[in-house]
Amino acid sequence: MTTHTTTKAHAPLIPLPTGAARTGVLAGAALALIGTFLAWTWTEEFPGDLTVTGYPGGLQVVTLVGALLTLLFTLSGMGIRGLTWLTPGGKNSPVLLTALGVLGTTGYALAAISAQLGGIVNLEPGAWVSGIGALIAVIAALGLPADVPRAETDTTGTWGRFKNALKAPPASRAKELPASVEILIITAAFGTGLYIFAYGIDAYSELFVGFLITTALGATALFRAGLVDRLNRLTAKHRTITLTAALIAAACFPFTQTDESYALIGANILIFATVALGLNVVVGLAGLLDLGYVAFLGVGAYTAALVSGSPQSTFGVQFPFWAAVLTGAAASLVFGVVIGAPTLRLRGDYLAIVTLGFGEIFRITMNNLNGSAGPDVTNGSQGIPNIPDLELFGFNFGTPHDIAGFTLGRSGNYYLLMLLFTAVVVMVFRRSGESRIGRAWVAVREDETAATAMGINGFRVKLIAFALGATLAGFAGTVQAHVSYSITPEQYLFANTVPPNSAFLLAAVILGGMGTISGPLLGAALLYLIPAKLQFLEDFQLILFGLALILLMRFRPEGLVANKRAQLEYHETGQLDVPEQRLPDSTDVGTAKAGA
């Protein structure tokens, strides 16, 4: 067992001997784990069947996983042989974070049971055992020393001390492993990610809240422990293996689902993520604030709907799928150039206002092309329904197919098609970001005046970014038209509770990490999945969602996946509370190629 010399800078929030604090965490986490094997309530009316003794279910499983992680991190911090690799960066911050996750999940479960069933009398002993154990673990974890010295400005006040308690130093360099072992680790990481994602989509409303609490704090604990940093180093070393593993894991998702509605959620997430990646070209690389970007998605969707053989289409034509895709992308490209040419000489807030106006003009125009207020093209507010399913090389996407012993339904078919589209968009984004024009975008984003002085045509560069972003959005819109069966103007509002819309797209880029590839993909997945799963909260849905965004921007302003430039911009020198990370698909062209 290792010992630590506690200085004033490392002083814990609660004055406890380090050994006693770790013993308390172990006892509390063990108690919380034991409680999951006891009944939490007496009736099956609460989802998840928490009445069985000896077999955890629902929220009990989530609490069990959180308690197990807390035990493992604590034992690793104690120097137990064979577990020290779990905490290469910070030994105490991960313990506090996972303990908070257990307390948050258990506390939510107790509150939900009491609220739904009519009081705390409906709680069985197992719920109290887990709740008390989680509370003991958190109190004891607050008695552990901080992993990094606290700045003098942060030593006063409980909030400053608590915030510093969550900081961890960068992970140390790990010894070299055989290439086969490193590849196995990468494969296992993506397999685990696939399982967690599939579990989250399959989770019912109450279970999803507990899953979200544990996953958020557990992922942060892995990051603070330094495991994510080490995984990033491996993925950067084996870039091709990483991209292949990511694609295979994503392709396996529909085969893990037995409910078509969950596969449909996955397809819509990919549509949202692809459009967010297109917006990342405009916002993340070129630095242009576009508040009407969802209109380009609508242009592609409407174009595909009009030429794909819908009985309600006024064009009366049916293009092959490849021709419909090219037509939709070309239409969005034309609109991008037409809108961008007269407006991109504006900057900042003025450009944002103009693009916001374009988004509203598009929606109103689609409403007015109804044969009454204007020509009969789009059927007005009724939109274009009955869009036929795609058929490509004899493969009908609207009918189930048996593949390798699995039955893949309509939603699964479109998911795999959209995954192919996403891969194409990722390739385009990556190649363009690493090219000369990509470096010019970053130069214009950082300082357009200086870029112009160095010979860069700022207007031409921005117009190319605007046109490329519009094309990628229209590209995804052609698939969205077929997935949703019908297209209406109300689907393309600036903001509503159902993404994709301009507000959620912009949030996905900023929260995920501007200028990266995996950032907008992750941000889009979270921003689509969370509102879809929190619908049972009704009026409180947006309140809690907004609060979560505020907290994320407070503690992670550079985004979930950030390049080093963003970290340096949002954190003072020497006060970075995150280790430098280089995701294999990050496009930190501003830092890596600024002098090219």
Side-chain angles (χ1 to χ4, degrees), residues 462-480:
K462 291 191 292 184
L463 185 60
I464 292 174
F466 210 73
L468 178 60
T471 303
L472 296 181
F475 192 59
T478 58
V479 179
Q480 187 206 26

PDB file of all heavy atoms in Angstrom, residues 462-480:
ATOM      1  N   LYS A 462     -13.828  31.720 -47.891  1.00  0.00           N
ATOM      2  CA  LYS A 462     -15.059  31.561 -47.124  1.00  0.00           C
ATOM      3  C   LYS A 462     -16.191  31.036 -47.992  1.00  0.00           C
ATOM      4  O   LYS A 462     -17.017  30.229 -47.527  1.00  0.00           O
ATOM      5  CB  LYS A 462     -15.451  32.888 -46.484  1.00  0.00           C
ATOM      6  CG  LYS A 462     -14.513  33.343 -45.375  1.00  0.00           C
ATOM      7  CD  LYS A 462     -15.062  34.512 -44.595  1.00  0.00           C
ATOM      8  CE  LYS A 462     -15.122  35.765 -45.437  1.00  0.00           C
ATOM      9  NZ  LYS A 462     -15.562  36.937 -44.639  1.00  0.00           N
ATOM     10  N   LEU A 463     -16.253  31.460 -49.235  1.00  0.00           N
ATOM     11  CA  LEU A 463     -17.303  30.976 -50.130  1.00  0.00           C
ATOM     12  C   LEU A 463     -17.139  29.487 -50.414  1.00  0.00           C
ATOM     13  O   LEU A 463     -18.135  28.745 -50.487  1.00  0.00           O
ATOM     14  CB  LEU A 463     -17.281  31.772 -51.438  1.00  0.00           C
ATOM     15  CG  LEU A 463     -18.405  31.464 -52.437  1.00  0.00           C
ATOM     16  CD1 LEU A 463     -19.761  31.742 -51.804  1.00  0.00           C
ATOM     17  CD2 LEU A 463     -18.231  32.269 -53.714  1.00  0.00           C
ATOM     18  N   ILE A 464     -15.896  29.033 -50.554  1.00  0.00           N
ATOM     19  CA  ILE A 464     -15.659  27.600 -50.757  1.00  0.00           C
ATOM     20  C   ILE A 464     -16.128  26.809 -49.538  1.00  0.00           C
ATOM     21  O   ILE A 464     -16.767  25.756 -49.663  1.00  0.00           O
ATOM     22  CB  ILE A 464     -14.167  27.346 -51.040  1.00  0.00           C
ATOM     23  CG1 ILE A 464     -13.775  27.936 -52.398  1.00  0.00           C
ATOM     24  CG2 ILE A 464     -13.859  25.855 -51.003  1.00  0.00           C
ATOM     25  CD1 ILE A 464     -12.290  27.844 -52.692  1.00  0.00           C
ATOM     26  N   ALA A 465     -15.826  27.307 -48.341  1.00  0.00           N
ATOM     27  CA  ALA A 465     -16.264  26.628 -47.119  1.00  0.00           C
ATOM     28  C   ALA A 465     -17.782  26.593 -47.040  1.00  0.00           C
ATOM     29  O   ALA A 465     -18.382  25.555 -46.697  1.00  0.00           O
ATOM     30  CB  ALA A 465     -15.687  27.331 -45.894  1.00  0.00           C
ATOM     31  N   PHE A 466     -18.427  27.703 -47.354  1.00  0.00           N
ATOM     32  CA  PHE A 466     -19.881  27.778 -47.294  1.00  0.00           C
ATOM     33  C   PHE A 466     -20.501  26.811 -48.300  1.00  0.00           C
ATOM     34  O   PHE A 466     -21.468  26.107 -47.981  1.00  0.00           O
ATOM     35  CB  PHE A 466     -20.321  29.212 -47.600  1.00  0.00           C
ATOM     36  CG  PHE A 466     -21.598  29.617 -46.925  1.00  0.00           C
ATOM     37  CD1 PHE A 466     -21.631  29.874 -45.567  1.00  0.00           C
ATOM     38  CD2 PHE A 466     -22.766  29.752 -47.656  1.00  0.00           C
ATOM     39  CE1 PHE A 466     -22.800  30.252 -44.939  1.00  0.00           C
ATOM     40  CE2 PHE A 466     -23.942  30.134 -47.041  1.00  0.00           C
ATOM     41  CZ  PHE A 466     -23.964  30.382 -45.678  1.00  0.00           C
ATOM     42  N   ALA A 467     -19.935  26.767 -49.512  1.00  0.00           N
ATOM     43  CA  ALA A 467     -20.475  25.886 -50.547  1.00  0.00           C
ATOM     44  C   ALA A 467     -20.259  24.420 -50.194  1.00  0.00           C
ATOM     45  O   ALA A 467     -21.154  23.582 -50.385  1.00  0.00           O
ATOM     46  CB  ALA A 467     -19.827  26.216 -51.886  1.00  0.00           C
ATOM     47  N   LEU A 468     -19.069  24.074 -49.664  1.00  0.00           N
ATOM     48  CA  LEU A 468     -18.801  22.688 -49.295  1.00  0.00           C
ATOM     49  C   LEU A 468     -19.702  22.251 -48.149  1.00  0.00           C
ATOM     50  O   LEU A 468     -20.261  21.146 -48.168  1.00  0.00           O
ATOM     51  CB  LEU A 468     -17.332  22.529 -48.899  1.00  0.00           C
ATOM     52  CG  LEU A 468     -16.924  21.121 -48.439  1.00  0.00           C
ATOM     53  CD1 LEU A 468     -17.172  20.097 -49.533  1.00  0.00           C
ATOM     54  CD2 LEU A 468     -15.455  21.098 -48.009  1.00  0.00           C
ATOM     55  N   GLY A 469     -19.874  23.102 -47.135  1.00  0.00           N
ATOM     56  CA  GLY A 469     -20.767  22.766 -46.038  1.00  0.00           C
ATOM     57  C   GLY A 469     -22.188  22.551 -46.507  1.00  0.00           C
ATOM     58  O   GLY A 469     -22.878  21.618 -46.063  1.00  0.00           O
ATOM     59  N   ALA A 470     -22.671  23.405 -47.408  1.00  0.00           N
ATOM     60  CA  ALA A 470     -24.030  23.259 -47.943  1.00  0.00           C
ATOM     61  C   ALA A 470     -24.164  21.954 -48.724  1.00  0.00           C
ATOM     62  O   ALA A 470     -25.178  21.254 -48.627  1.00  0.00           O
ATOM     63  CB  ALA A 470     -24.370  24.452 -48.829  1.00  0.00           C
ATOM     64  N   THR A 471     -23.136  21.604 -49.494  1.00  0.00           N
ATOM     65  CA  THR A 471     -23.183  20.373 -50.287  1.00  0.00           C
ATOM     66  C   THR A 471     -23.269  19.140 -49.391  1.00  0.00           C
ATOM     67  O   THR A 471     -24.046  18.214 -49.664  1.00  0.00           O
ATOM     68  CB  THR A 471     -21.935  20.276 -51.179  1.00  0.00           C
ATOM     69  OG1 THR A 471     -21.862  21.439 -52.001  1.00  0.00           O
ATOM     70  CG2 THR A 471     -22.004  19.042 -52.060  1.00  0.00           C
ATOM     71  N   LEU A 472     -22.483  19.115 -48.328  1.00  0.00           N
ATOM     72  CA  LEU A 472     -22.509  17.970 -47.413  1.00  0.00           C
ATOM     73  C   LEU A 472     -23.865  17.848 -46.725  1.00  0.00           C
ATOM     74  O   LEU A 472     -24.363  16.733 -46.514  1.00  0.00           O
ATOM     75  CB  LEU A 472     -21.393  18.108 -46.379  1.00  0.00           C
ATOM     76  CG  LEU A 472     -19.964  18.078 -46.932  1.00  0.00           C
ATOM     77  CD1 LEU A 472     -18.949  18.207 -45.806  1.00  0.00           C
ATOM     78  CD2 LEU A 472     -19.714  16.812 -47.735  1.00  0.00           C
ATOM     79  N   ALA A 473     -24.482  18.978 -46.374  1.00  0.00           N
ATOM     80  CA  ALA A 473     -25.810  18.941 -45.764  1.00  0.00           C
ATOM     81  C   ALA A 473     -26.843  18.412 -46.748  1.00  0.00           C
ATOM     82  O   ALA A 473     -27.702  17.588 -46.392  1.00  0.00           O
ATOM     83  CB  ALA A 473     -26.200  20.329 -45.279  1.00  0.00           C
ATOM     84  N   GLY A 474     -26.791  18.885 -47.996  1.00  0.00           N
ATOM     85  CA  GLY A 474     -27.718  18.378 -48.999  1.00  0.00           C
ATOM     86  C   GLY A 474     -27.508  16.906 -49.281  1.00  0.00           C
ATOM     87  O   GLY A 474     -28.468  16.157 -49.545  1.00  0.00           O
ATOM     88  N   PHE A 475     -26.270  16.466 -49.209  1.00  0.00           N
ATOM     89  CA  PHE A 475     -25.916  15.058 -49.387  1.00  0.00           C
ATOM     90  C   PHE A 475     -26.661  14.198 -48.367  1.00  0.00           C
ATOM     91  O   PHE A 475     -27.257  13.171 -48.700  1.00  0.00           O
ATOM     92  CB  PHE A 475     -24.402  14.939 -49.231  1.00  0.00           C
ATOM     93  CG  PHE A 475     -23.825  13.629 -49.652  1.00  0.00           C
ATOM     94  CD1 PHE A 475     -23.971  13.159 -50.942  1.00  0.00           C
ATOM     95  CD2 PHE A 475     -23.089  12.866 -48.763  1.00  0.00           C
ATOM     96  CE1 PHE A 475     -23.419  11.951 -51.339  1.00  0.00           C
ATOM     97  CE2 PHE A 475     -22.537  11.660 -49.142  1.00  0.00           C
ATOM     98  CZ  PHE A 475     -22.700  11.206 -50.436  1.00  0.00           C
ATOM     99  N   ALA A 476     -26.642  14.612 -47.103  1.00  0.00           N
ATOM    100  CA  ALA A 476     -27.347  13.875 -46.054  1.00  0.00           C
ATOM    101  C   ALA A 476     -28.862  14.022 -46.180  1.00  0.00           C
ATOM    102  O   ALA A 476     -29.616  13.099 -45.856  1.00  0.00           O
ATOM    103  CB  ALA A 476     -26.895  14.362 -44.685  1.00  0.00           C
ATOM    104  N   GLY A 477     -29.328  15.184 -46.662  1.00  0.00           N
ATOM    105  CA  GLY A 477     -30.765  15.405 -46.805  1.00  0.00           C
ATOM    106  C   GLY A 477     -31.426  14.457 -47.781  1.00  0.00           C
ATOM    107  O   GLY A 477     -32.607  14.118 -47.624  1.00  0.00           O
ATOM    108  N   THR A 478     -30.689  13.999 -48.791  1.00  0.00           N
ATOM    109  CA  THR A 478     -31.285  13.071 -49.752  1.00  0.00           C
ATOM    110  C   THR A 478     -31.664  11.744 -49.102  1.00  0.00           C
ATOM    111  O   THR A 478     -32.652  11.120 -49.483  1.00  0.00           O
ATOM    112  CB  THR A 478     -30.303  12.812 -50.907  1.00  0.00           C
ATOM    113  OG1 THR A 478     -29.075  12.289 -50.385  1.00  0.00           O
ATOM    114  CG2 THR A 478     -30.004  14.109 -51.659  1.00  0.00           C
ATOM    115  N   VAL A 479     -30.885  11.306 -48.123  1.00  0.00           N
ATOM    116  CA  VAL A 479     -31.228  10.078 -47.399  1.00  0.00           C
ATOM    117  C   VAL A 479     -32.334  10.356 -46.385  1.00  0.00           C
ATOM    118  O   VAL A 479     -33.238   9.533 -46.192  1.00  0.00           O
ATOM    119  CB  VAL A 479     -29.991   9.498 -46.698  1.00  0.00           C
ATOM    120  CG1 VAL A 479     -30.356   8.233 -45.927  1.00  0.00           C
ATOM    121  CG2 VAL A 479     -28.899   9.184 -47.712  1.00  0.00           C
ATOM    122  N   GLN A 480     -32.287  11.511 -45.718  1.00  0.00           N
ATOM    123  CA  GLN A 480     -33.311  11.841 -44.735  1.00  0.00           C
ATOM    124  C   GLN A 480     -34.705  11.811 -45.349  1.00  0.00           C
ATOM    125  O   GLN A 480     -35.675  11.377 -44.714  1.00  0.00           O
ATOM    126  CB  GLN A 480     -33.058  13.219 -44.131  1.00  0.00           C
ATOM    127  CG  GLN A 480     -33.994  13.546 -42.982  1.00  0.00           C
ATOM    128  CD  GLN A 480     -34.204  15.035 -42.794  1.00  0.00           C
ATOM    129  OE1 GLN A 480     -34.063  15.809 -43.740  1.00  0.00           O
ATOM    130  NE2 GLN A 480     -34.545  15.438 -41.584  1.00  0.00           N
TER     131      GLN A 480
END
